[in-house]
Amino acid sequence: MGVVQHHDGVSGTSKQHVAYDYAKRIAGGMNKANSFVTDALRKLLLNSNEGVLDNLTYCMLNNETICTVSQEASREGRKEDIYVIVYNALAKERHEVVSLPIDSSSYYFVEKLGGEQSDWVPVESSVLPNTNYAQVIGAASNIMHFEAKDIPPLGASVFRVSRLEDEVLSSTSIPAVPRNLRRSVQNDMGDEIVMSNDILSVTFDQSTGVITSITNLRDGITVNVEQQYGFYKSAFKDAPMNFVEDNDNFKGDGKCLPGYTDAEGDEYPWLVGSAENWQNSGAYIFRPTIDQKLHNLPPKRAQSVVVYNSGLVKEVHSVFGQGGWIKQIARLLPGKDFVEIEYIVGPVPIDDGGKEVVSKWTTSIASDGQFFTDSNGREFQKRKRGDHNVFGPDQPNSDEPVSGNYYPVNSIFIEDTVHSFGCVVDRSQGGASLTDGTLELMIQRLTLYDDARGVGEPLNETDIGITPNPPYDNAERLGEGVIVKGHHRMIVGKGGSGASKMRGIMDSVFSQPHVFVASAPSGTAIPFKQATLSMLQTSLPDNIMVISFVALGEENTYLIRLGHQYGPNEDTSLSRQVEIDLHKLFVNKKLTSVQEKTLSGNQMRADWEARRFQWDCTKGDYLLSRDNLRDGHVVLKPLEIRTYEIVLS
């Protein structure tokens, strides 16, 4: 966890070989956790785990369409069933469409283990070809999608994927996945392509596949959009930095530490760089060239746009830029109130010195220079374009009108009295609204020059790697720029509902279902002792999340953190305080003791309250909560996180 949360690891402000070491250490930790969790799942779900589903593993590379167990079991000639355990880390029941990499175009059907251990219930499923725009080596040729409904809170459900032979298929009524998905070529439907579920209707330009409007059918709201990808050219001075040879850059005995030519912590080079206007764009600094121009990457026009429509998942593919170095898959899933945008970027051509690549959406929303971003996934902050409270009355951001208005975001939205429009990202990114009615998010950065802020090398990751780092070599980049893939969830709603709409999907985006896969010879009877498992008796309210549930050193003693996920006035009902009865929370356990602790869990709340300075909190609309624990009942106010030590028997 220390590596995962390290400030350089999160932000990318490390040397490339350090980033590789981060990845290596995280992978090592994940592998150890995989062994522990899969062993626990087998013990909890199986009557006998000796020799049964021994190859159960976590699909760590599912986002790259790689899962070794499911791919091997689905290859032609293999007669094996695939067992999928889907774990839900949220404290509420959820319905998801699960993706599973497979290497076959045979007929399949998917079943969910029901209430009885031998009761298998068919579920809807489909297969789409994997276009593999990211050019991932070893990626599966196809992706199976299936509906995973009613996954219990803090629990798991079990699914089975079976292959149907042709002779069996002809005599069965089980719905099967089609062997060859029909690609619907849309070339005779006028100027538009439309796809919809029960919540959204999305319109695309027929010649490019680019989204032109999104309609929320339940709210009766339509937002017309202009979608584009583009880039800012990275600012740089194409000459050696004069200050590099300055004695101020040397440390101790007059020599740089191995691999360093900068004076980390010395502000002199930075001040000189700013004064002489050569401050480069790099790992720490986003700075476009002086023209501040967003260079548009037009979508590729085609005589026909291909739409994949499997009945369960609907997709429209489009290509942007000369040479097609940006691809997009717009995806609509059943029961979801967002449009999923999967973008694939790279290799980015950077012969001109570097590019800062963005996704931009333009609407007619009268946002009046305002937009909203989250603060570490919690409270939404109102942002004002060119806000003098940020830059100071004597420090206008006119010199850097683009980067000066970028903020770190996990979610961002704009709204007026009629419409709201926003995006939830799958990783922290930079975002802004540089003109009224627009949103833009930075999705990739590559530069050829260092910004002299401490990293000492450009922001330029390549697909082969680097030579050894100084003093052993020069850390030269090998190969082409990496290809990155990510997801944006676009949301449309009524005016004033932006925060509520975003809150509704943020947790599910940040905590995707965990997919574990095993295989067994077809027809093998697997001794399941229960169809599902859950640590909770029932789902918590939609606005409450279990943030931590940790076993402590003493037997049957746990640390639990509960968080209210909505802020004041964000939703008419979900922004209210909530009372939780801890006695009714845990399965087959009796609550025998509960004490509130401080947020970090290192001391009792009552002891801390007795020592702290006592502010007058008797006035105002939002009072500090105290003494809210009574007989196992806890009350959570908007955005509160509270920590308890509990003993169960």
mmCIF file of all heavy atoms in Angstrom, residues 211-214 221-228 360-368 370 413-416 418-423 433 435-440 490-493:
data_model
loop_
_atom_site.group_PDB
_atom_site.id
_atom_site.type_symbol
_atom_site.label_atom_id
_atom_site.label_comp_id
_atom_site.label_asym_id
_atom_site.label_seq_id
_atom_site.Cartn_x
_atom_site.Cartn_y
_atom_site.Cartn_z
ATOM 1 N N ILE A 211 -20.193 10.778 -31.216
ATOM 2 C CA ILE A 211 -21.442 11.087 -30.507
ATOM 3 C C ILE A 211 -21.869 12.524 -30.800
ATOM 4 O O ILE A 211 -21.058 13.461 -30.735
ATOM 5 C CB ILE A 211 -21.269 10.873 -29.000
ATOM 6 C CG1 ILE A 211 -20.986 9.400 -28.697
ATOM 7 C CG2 ILE A 211 -22.508 11.328 -28.234
ATOM 8 C CD1 ILE A 211 -20.717 9.107 -27.236
ATOM 9 N N THR A 212 -23.164 12.698 -31.096
ATOM 10 C CA THR A 212 -23.710 14.036 -31.339
ATOM 11 C C THR A 212 -24.747 14.444 -30.288
ATOM 12 O O THR A 212 -24.998 15.632 -30.120
ATOM 13 C CB THR A 212 -24.351 14.110 -32.729
ATOM 14 O OG1 THR A 212 -25.378 13.110 -32.837
ATOM 15 C CG2 THR A 212 -23.301 13.873 -33.818
ATOM 16 N N SER A 213 -25.351 13.495 -29.596
ATOM 17 C CA SER A 213 -26.289 13.849 -28.525
ATOM 18 C C SER A 213 -26.476 12.668 -27.589
ATOM 19 O O SER A 213 -26.315 11.506 -27.983
ATOM 20 C CB SER A 213 -27.650 14.290 -29.087
ATOM 21 O OG SER A 213 -28.365 13.186 -29.613
ATOM 22 N N ILE A 214 -26.815 12.989 -26.322
ATOM 23 C CA ILE A 214 -27.123 11.980 -25.309
ATOM 24 C C ILE A 214 -28.427 12.394 -24.653
ATOM 25 O O ILE A 214 -28.564 13.535 -24.203
ATOM 26 C CB ILE A 214 -26.008 11.867 -24.257
ATOM 27 C CG1 ILE A 214 -24.650 11.582 -24.911
ATOM 28 C CG2 ILE A 214 -26.339 10.779 -23.236
ATOM 29 C CD1 ILE A 214 -23.481 11.616 -23.939
ATOM 30 N N ILE A 221 -34.233 14.667 -20.664
ATOM 31 C CA ILE A 221 -33.229 15.691 -20.936
ATOM 32 C C ILE A 221 -32.332 15.227 -22.081
ATOM 33 O O ILE A 221 -31.824 14.105 -22.068
ATOM 34 C CB ILE A 221 -32.376 15.970 -19.685
ATOM 35 C CG1 ILE A 221 -33.227 16.612 -18.597
ATOM 36 C CG2 ILE A 221 -31.190 16.857 -20.021
ATOM 37 C CD1 ILE A 221 -33.732 17.992 -18.925
ATOM 38 N N THR A 222 -32.120 16.102 -23.063
ATOM 39 C CA THR A 222 -31.193 15.838 -24.154
ATOM 40 C C THR A 222 -30.097 16.892 -24.147
ATOM 41 O O THR A 222 -30.376 18.094 -24.060
ATOM 42 C CB THR A 222 -31.904 15.845 -25.514
ATOM 43 O OG1 THR A 222 -32.868 14.794 -25.558
ATOM 44 C CG2 THR A 222 -30.903 15.647 -26.653
ATOM 45 N N VAL A 223 -28.848 16.442 -24.231
ATOM 46 C CA VAL A 223 -27.708 17.346 -24.342
ATOM 47 C C VAL A 223 -27.030 17.076 -25.677
ATOM 48 O O VAL A 223 -26.545 15.966 -25.926
ATOM 49 C CB VAL A 223 -26.709 17.147 -23.184
ATOM 50 C CG1 VAL A 223 -25.461 18.003 -23.403
ATOM 51 C CG2 VAL A 223 -27.353 17.497 -21.847
ATOM 52 N N ASN A 224 -27.037 18.082 -26.554
ATOM 53 C CA ASN A 224 -26.307 17.983 -27.811
ATOM 54 C C ASN A 224 -24.832 18.237 -27.543
ATOM 55 O O ASN A 224 -24.470 19.184 -26.827
ATOM 56 C CB ASN A 224 -26.846 18.992 -28.829
ATOM 57 C CG ASN A 224 -28.279 18.701 -29.220
ATOM 58 O OD1 ASN A 224 -28.674 17.547 -29.410
ATOM 59 N ND2 ASN A 224 -29.093 19.742 -29.332
ATOM 60 N N VAL A 225 -23.979 17.394 -28.101
ATOM 61 C CA VAL A 225 -22.548 17.497 -27.810
ATOM 62 C C VAL A 225 -21.747 17.512 -29.103
ATOM 63 O O VAL A 225 -22.165 16.965 -30.131
ATOM 64 C CB VAL A 225 -22.063 16.317 -26.923
ATOM 65 C CG1 VAL A 225 -22.786 16.308 -25.595
ATOM 66 C CG2 VAL A 225 -22.219 14.987 -27.641
ATOM 67 N N GLU A 226 -20.607 18.169 -29.015
ATOM 68 C CA GLU A 226 -19.585 18.079 -30.055
ATOM 69 C C GLU A 226 -18.379 17.415 -29.415
ATOM 70 O O GLU A 226 -17.784 17.955 -28.483
ATOM 71 C CB GLU A 226 -19.217 19.459 -30.590
ATOM 72 C CG GLU A 226 -18.116 19.422 -31.640
ATOM 73 C CD GLU A 226 -17.641 20.803 -32.039
ATOM 74 O OE1 GLU A 226 -18.364 21.787 -31.756
ATOM 75 O OE2 GLU A 226 -16.537 20.899 -32.610
ATOM 76 N N GLN A 227 -18.050 16.248 -29.885
ATOM 77 C CA GLN A 227 -16.972 15.482 -29.283
ATOM 78 C C GLN A 227 -15.720 15.595 -30.126
ATOM 79 O O GLN A 227 -15.770 15.513 -31.353
ATOM 80 C CB GLN A 227 -17.378 14.005 -29.156
ATOM 81 C CG GLN A 227 -16.361 13.175 -28.420
ATOM 82 C CD GLN A 227 -16.595 11.685 -28.582
ATOM 83 O OE1 GLN A 227 -17.503 11.259 -29.288
ATOM 84 N NE2 GLN A 227 -15.758 10.885 -27.947
ATOM 85 N N GLN A 228 -14.576 15.794 -29.474
ATOM 86 C CA GLN A 228 -13.329 15.865 -30.222
ATOM 87 C C GLN A 228 -12.159 15.403 -29.369
ATOM 88 O O GLN A 228 -12.217 15.406 -28.134
ATOM 89 C CB GLN A 228 -13.066 17.291 -30.727
ATOM 90 C CG GLN A 228 -12.745 18.300 -29.635
ATOM 91 C CD GLN A 228 -12.541 19.695 -30.165
ATOM 92 O OE1 GLN A 228 -13.407 20.546 -30.009
ATOM 93 N NE2 GLN A 228 -11.404 19.948 -30.791
ATOM 94 N N LYS A 360 -12.203 16.294 -25.421
ATOM 95 C CA LYS A 360 -12.984 17.504 -25.171
ATOM 96 C C LYS A 360 -14.428 17.305 -25.597
ATOM 97 O O LYS A 360 -14.704 16.716 -26.635
ATOM 98 C CB LYS A 360 -12.384 18.698 -25.918
ATOM 99 C CG LYS A 360 -13.111 20.016 -25.677
ATOM 100 C CD LYS A 360 -12.428 21.167 -26.400
ATOM 101 C CE LYS A 360 -13.163 22.486 -26.167
ATOM 102 N NZ LYS A 360 -12.506 23.621 -26.864
ATOM 103 N N TRP A 361 -15.345 17.813 -24.773
ATOM 104 C CA TRP A 361 -16.780 17.772 -25.052
ATOM 105 C C TRP A 361 -17.319 19.193 -25.001
ATOM 106 O O TRP A 361 -17.059 19.927 -24.037
ATOM 107 C CB TRP A 361 -17.510 16.910 -24.020
ATOM 108 C CG TRP A 361 -17.063 15.480 -24.005
ATOM 109 C CD1 TRP A 361 -15.923 14.981 -23.430
ATOM 110 C CD2 TRP A 361 -17.729 14.366 -24.595
ATOM 111 N NE1 TRP A 361 -15.850 13.630 -23.619
ATOM 112 C CE2 TRP A 361 -16.951 13.222 -24.334
ATOM 113 C CE3 TRP A 361 -18.919 14.226 -25.300
ATOM 114 C CZ2 TRP A 361 -17.313 11.952 -24.765
ATOM 115 C CZ3 TRP A 361 -19.297 12.958 -25.727
ATOM 116 C CH2 TRP A 361 -18.497 11.843 -25.459
ATOM 117 N N THR A 362 -18.059 19.568 -26.025
ATOM 118 C CA THR A 362 -18.655 20.898 -26.096
ATOM 119 C C THR A 362 -20.169 20.779 -26.106
ATOM 120 O O THR A 362 -20.732 20.015 -26.900
ATOM 121 C CB THR A 362 -18.183 21.646 -27.353
ATOM 122 O OG1 THR A 362 -16.755 21.736 -27.351
ATOM 123 C CG2 THR A 362 -18.771 23.054 -27.399
ATOM 124 N N THR A 363 -20.841 21.519 -25.218
ATOM 125 C CA THR A 363 -22.294 21.504 -25.122
ATOM 126 C C THR A 363 -22.798 22.956 -25.133
ATOM 127 O O THR A 363 -22.012 23.909 -25.148
ATOM 128 C CB THR A 363 -22.766 20.830 -23.820
ATOM 129 O OG1 THR A 363 -22.510 21.716 -22.708
ATOM 130 C CG2 THR A 363 -22.033 19.513 -23.592
ATOM 131 N N SER A 364 -24.103 23.112 -25.090
ATOM 132 C CA SER A 364 -24.704 24.447 -25.031
ATOM 133 C C SER A 364 -25.049 24.849 -23.595
ATOM 134 O O SER A 364 -25.741 25.846 -23.383
ATOM 135 C CB SER A 364 -25.974 24.489 -25.887
ATOM 136 O OG SER A 364 -26.922 23.533 -25.419
ATOM 137 N N ILE A 365 -24.570 24.099 -22.607
ATOM 138 C CA ILE A 365 -24.872 24.400 -21.209
ATOM 139 C C ILE A 365 -24.268 25.749 -20.820
ATOM 140 O O ILE A 365 -23.083 26.012 -21.063
ATOM 141 C CB ILE A 365 -24.338 23.277 -20.296
ATOM 142 C CG1 ILE A 365 -25.123 21.983 -20.536
ATOM 143 C CG2 ILE A 365 -24.419 23.681 -18.827
ATOM 144 C CD1 ILE A 365 -24.614 20.794 -19.756
ATOM 145 N N ALA A 366 -25.082 26.601 -20.237
ATOM 146 C CA ALA A 366 -24.636 27.935 -19.812
ATOM 147 C C ALA A 366 -24.002 27.831 -18.430
ATOM 148 O O ALA A 366 -24.631 28.118 -17.405
ATOM 149 C CB ALA A 366 -25.815 28.898 -19.806
ATOM 150 N N SER A 367 -22.748 27.429 -18.381
ATOM 151 C CA SER A 367 -22.092 27.127 -17.108
ATOM 152 C C SER A 367 -21.515 28.354 -16.417
ATOM 153 O O SER A 367 -21.026 28.239 -15.286
ATOM 154 C CB SER A 367 -20.987 26.087 -17.326
ATOM 155 O OG SER A 367 -20.108 26.486 -18.364
ATOM 156 N N ASP A 368 -21.531 29.508 -17.068
ATOM 157 C CA ASP A 368 -21.155 30.773 -16.446
ATOM 158 C C ASP A 368 -19.755 30.722 -15.824
ATOM 159 O O ASP A 368 -19.521 31.222 -14.719
ATOM 160 C CB ASP A 368 -22.189 31.159 -15.378
ATOM 161 C CG ASP A 368 -22.027 32.598 -14.894
ATOM 162 O OD1 ASP A 368 -21.525 33.427 -15.678
ATOM 163 O OD2 ASP A 368 -22.393 32.879 -13.745
ATOM 164 N N GLN A 370 -18.196 28.337 -14.491
ATOM 165 C CA GLN A 370 -18.055 27.480 -13.327
ATOM 166 C C GLN A 370 -18.074 26.004 -13.726
ATOM 167 O O GLN A 370 -18.729 25.619 -14.691
ATOM 168 C CB GLN A 370 -19.183 27.748 -12.324
ATOM 169 C CG GLN A 370 -19.202 29.149 -11.754
ATOM 170 C CD GLN A 370 -20.345 29.365 -10.790
ATOM 171 O OE1 GLN A 370 -21.180 28.485 -10.593
ATOM 172 N NE2 GLN A 370 -20.392 30.527 -10.171
ATOM 173 N N PHE A 413 -18.023 17.961 -13.550
ATOM 174 C CA PHE A 413 -19.281 18.217 -14.238
ATOM 175 C C PHE A 413 -19.549 19.705 -14.354
ATOM 176 O O PHE A 413 -18.973 20.525 -13.616
ATOM 177 C CB PHE A 413 -20.455 17.507 -13.545
ATOM 178 C CG PHE A 413 -20.838 18.054 -12.199
ATOM 179 C CD1 PHE A 413 -21.790 19.065 -12.067
ATOM 180 C CD2 PHE A 413 -20.266 17.555 -11.042
ATOM 181 C CE1 PHE A 413 -22.150 19.560 -10.825
ATOM 182 C CE2 PHE A 413 -20.623 18.034 -9.790
ATOM 183 C CZ PHE A 413 -21.570 19.050 -9.679
ATOM 184 N N ILE A 414 -20.426 20.032 -15.311
ATOM 185 C CA ILE A 414 -20.945 21.384 -15.480
ATOM 186 C C ILE A 414 -22.463 21.291 -15.458
ATOM 187 O O ILE A 414 -23.040 20.227 -15.713
ATOM 188 C CB ILE A 414 -20.471 22.031 -16.799
ATOM 189 C CG1 ILE A 414 -20.810 21.125 -17.996
ATOM 190 C CG2 ILE A 414 -18.997 22.348 -16.755
ATOM 191 C CD1 ILE A 414 -20.476 21.717 -19.348
ATOM 192 N N GLU A 415 -23.122 22.406 -15.157
ATOM 193 C CA GLU A 415 -24.582 22.394 -15.144
ATOM 194 C C GLU A 415 -25.116 23.813 -15.223
ATOM 195 O O GLU A 415 -24.404 24.791 -14.961
ATOM 196 C CB GLU A 415 -25.119 21.698 -13.894
ATOM 197 C CG GLU A 415 -24.744 22.343 -12.579
ATOM 198 C CD GLU A 415 -25.226 21.544 -11.379
ATOM 199 O OE1 GLU A 415 -25.842 20.481 -11.567
ATOM 200 O OE2 GLU A 415 -24.991 21.993 -10.239
ATOM 201 N N ASP A 416 -26.386 23.903 -15.632
ATOM 202 C CA ASP A 416 -27.137 25.144 -15.541
ATOM 203 C C ASP A 416 -28.496 24.803 -14.947
ATOM 204 O O ASP A 416 -28.647 23.757 -14.301
ATOM 205 C CB ASP A 416 -27.231 25.857 -16.893
ATOM 206 C CG ASP A 416 -27.860 25.006 -17.987
ATOM 207 O OD1 ASP A 416 -28.557 24.009 -17.660
ATOM 208 O OD2 ASP A 416 -27.684 25.314 -19.180
ATOM 209 N N VAL A 418 -31.146 23.875 -16.428
ATOM 210 C CA VAL A 418 -31.895 22.877 -17.200
ATOM 211 C C VAL A 418 -31.136 21.563 -17.350
ATOM 212 O O VAL A 418 -31.712 20.480 -17.227
ATOM 213 C CB VAL A 418 -32.249 23.429 -18.605
ATOM 214 C CG1 VAL A 418 -33.041 22.395 -19.407
ATOM 215 C CG2 VAL A 418 -33.043 24.721 -18.484
ATOM 216 N N HIS A 419 -29.838 21.633 -17.603
ATOM 217 C CA HIS A 419 -29.050 20.446 -17.918
ATOM 218 C C HIS A 419 -27.858 20.299 -16.979
ATOM 219 O O HIS A 419 -27.365 21.290 -16.423
ATOM 220 C CB HIS A 419 -28.502 20.514 -19.352
ATOM 221 C CG HIS A 419 -29.521 20.800 -20.401
ATOM 222 N ND1 HIS A 419 -29.831 22.078 -20.815
ATOM 223 C CD2 HIS A 419 -30.302 19.960 -21.132
ATOM 224 C CE1 HIS A 419 -30.757 22.027 -21.758
ATOM 225 N NE2 HIS A 419 -31.070 20.757 -21.980
ATOM 226 N N SER A 420 -27.398 19.070 -16.863
ATOM 227 C CA SER A 420 -26.097 18.789 -16.243
ATOM 228 C C SER A 420 -25.377 17.774 -17.109
ATOM 229 O O SER A 420 -25.999 16.927 -17.761
ATOM 230 C CB SER A 420 -26.251 18.257 -14.812
ATOM 231 O OG SER A 420 -26.970 17.040 -14.795
ATOM 232 N N PHE A 421 -24.046 17.883 -17.146
ATOM 233 C CA PHE A 421 -23.236 17.006 -17.991
ATOM 234 C C PHE A 421 -21.912 16.778 -17.289
ATOM 235 O O PHE A 421 -21.269 17.738 -16.836
ATOM 236 C CB PHE A 421 -23.012 17.660 -19.356
ATOM 237 C CG PHE A 421 -22.179 16.840 -20.306
ATOM 238 C CD1 PHE A 421 -22.702 15.726 -20.934
ATOM 239 C CD2 PHE A 421 -20.864 17.197 -20.562
ATOM 240 C CE1 PHE A 421 -21.929 14.976 -21.806
ATOM 241 C CE2 PHE A 421 -20.083 16.451 -21.445
ATOM 242 C CZ PHE A 421 -20.622 15.337 -22.069
ATOM 243 N N GLY A 422 -21.516 15.505 -17.144
ATOM 244 C CA GLY A 422 -20.292 15.235 -16.405
ATOM 245 C C GLY A 422 -19.612 13.958 -16.823
ATOM 246 O O GLY A 422 -20.096 13.203 -17.673
ATOM 247 N N CYS A 423 -18.461 13.721 -16.196
ATOM 248 C CA CYS A 423 -17.632 12.559 -16.527
ATOM 249 C C CYS A 423 -16.993 12.018 -15.255
ATOM 250 O O CYS A 423 -16.472 12.776 -14.429
ATOM 251 C CB CYS A 423 -16.547 12.957 -17.532
ATOM 252 S SG CYS A 423 -15.404 11.622 -17.944
ATOM 253 N N SER A 433 -12.706 23.282 -17.573
ATOM 254 C CA SER A 433 -13.750 23.820 -18.439
ATOM 255 C C SER A 433 -13.264 25.195 -18.859
ATOM 256 O O SER A 433 -13.435 26.177 -18.136
ATOM 257 C CB SER A 433 -15.094 23.914 -17.704
ATOM 258 O OG SER A 433 -16.075 24.509 -18.529
ATOM 259 N N THR A 435 -14.003 27.038 -21.580
ATOM 260 C CA THR A 435 -15.037 27.936 -22.081
ATOM 261 C C THR A 435 -16.373 27.406 -21.592
ATOM 262 O O THR A 435 -16.503 26.220 -21.250
ATOM 263 C CB THR A 435 -15.044 28.022 -23.620
ATOM 264 O OG1 THR A 435 -15.216 26.705 -24.166
ATOM 265 C CG2 THR A 435 -13.752 28.628 -24.150
ATOM 266 N N ASP A 436 -17.368 28.264 -21.550
ATOM 267 C CA ASP A 436 -18.682 27.842 -21.059
ATOM 268 C C ASP A 436 -19.208 26.664 -21.871
ATOM 269 O O ASP A 436 -19.122 26.650 -23.110
ATOM 270 C CB ASP A 436 -19.673 28.999 -21.139
ATOM 271 C CG ASP A 436 -19.457 30.021 -20.033
ATOM 272 O OD1 ASP A 436 -18.558 29.796 -19.203
ATOM 273 O OD2 ASP A 436 -20.176 31.036 -20.018
ATOM 274 N N GLY A 437 -19.751 25.677 -21.164
ATOM 275 C CA GLY A 437 -20.360 24.526 -21.818
ATOM 276 C C GLY A 437 -19.397 23.444 -22.236
ATOM 277 O O GLY A 437 -19.803 22.470 -22.870
ATOM 278 N N THR A 438 -18.115 23.555 -21.878
ATOM 279 C CA THR A 438 -17.133 22.559 -22.307
ATOM 280 C C THR A 438 -16.526 21.829 -21.111
ATOM 281 O O THR A 438 -16.455 22.356 -20.001
ATOM 282 C CB THR A 438 -15.982 23.187 -23.111
ATOM 283 O OG1 THR A 438 -15.215 24.053 -22.252
ATOM 284 C CG2 THR A 438 -16.516 23.978 -24.298
ATOM 285 N N LEU A 439 -16.097 20.605 -21.363
ATOM 286 C CA LEU A 439 -15.276 19.823 -20.447
ATOM 287 C C LEU A 439 -14.119 19.250 -21.238
ATOM 288 O O LEU A 439 -14.295 18.817 -22.385
ATOM 289 C CB LEU A 439 -16.069 18.669 -19.832
ATOM 290 C CG LEU A 439 -17.127 18.965 -18.771
ATOM 291 C CD1 LEU A 439 -17.764 17.661 -18.307
ATOM 292 C CD2 LEU A 439 -16.544 19.721 -17.593
ATOM 293 N N GLU A 440 -12.947 19.225 -20.638
ATOM 294 C CA GLU A 440 -11.839 18.526 -21.276
ATOM 295 C C GLU A 440 -11.008 17.818 -20.220
ATOM 296 O O GLU A 440 -10.872 18.294 -19.089
ATOM 297 C CB GLU A 440 -10.976 19.455 -22.123
ATOM 298 C CG GLU A 440 -10.232 20.547 -21.410
ATOM 299 C CD GLU A 440 -9.403 21.379 -22.399
ATOM 300 O OE1 GLU A 440 -9.991 22.047 -23.273
ATOM 301 O OE2 GLU A 440 -8.165 21.350 -22.276
ATOM 302 N N MET A 490 -19.733 9.022 -19.227
ATOM 303 C CA MET A 490 -20.382 10.305 -19.484
ATOM 304 C C MET A 490 -21.822 10.252 -18.978
ATOM 305 O O MET A 490 -22.550 9.285 -19.236
ATOM 306 C CB MET A 490 -20.353 10.643 -20.967
ATOM 307 C CG MET A 490 -18.990 10.467 -21.632
ATOM 308 S SD MET A 490 -17.614 11.312 -20.800
ATOM 309 C CE MET A 490 -18.157 13.012 -20.873
ATOM 310 N N ILE A 491 -22.225 11.324 -18.259
ATOM 311 C CA ILE A 491 -23.505 11.334 -17.559
ATOM 312 C C ILE A 491 -24.284 12.591 -17.929
ATOM 313 O O ILE A 491 -23.716 13.687 -18.021
ATOM 314 C CB ILE A 491 -23.286 11.283 -16.036
ATOM 315 C CG1 ILE A 491 -22.456 10.047 -15.661
ATOM 316 C CG2 ILE A 491 -24.594 11.281 -15.278
ATOM 317 C CD1 ILE A 491 -21.932 10.068 -14.264
ATOM 318 N N VAL A 492 -25.591 12.436 -18.129
ATOM 319 C CA VAL A 492 -26.482 13.537 -18.479
ATOM 320 C C VAL A 492 -27.652 13.530 -17.509
ATOM 321 O O VAL A 492 -28.173 12.466 -17.151
ATOM 322 C CB VAL A 492 -26.990 13.396 -19.930
ATOM 323 C CG1 VAL A 492 -28.159 14.327 -20.203
ATOM 324 C CG2 VAL A 492 -25.863 13.678 -20.912
ATOM 325 N N GLY A 493 -28.077 14.729 -17.060
ATOM 326 C CA GLY A 493 -29.222 14.803 -16.167
ATOM 327 C C GLY A 493 -29.833 16.187 -16.152
ATOM 328 O O GLY A 493 -29.469 17.067 -16.948
#
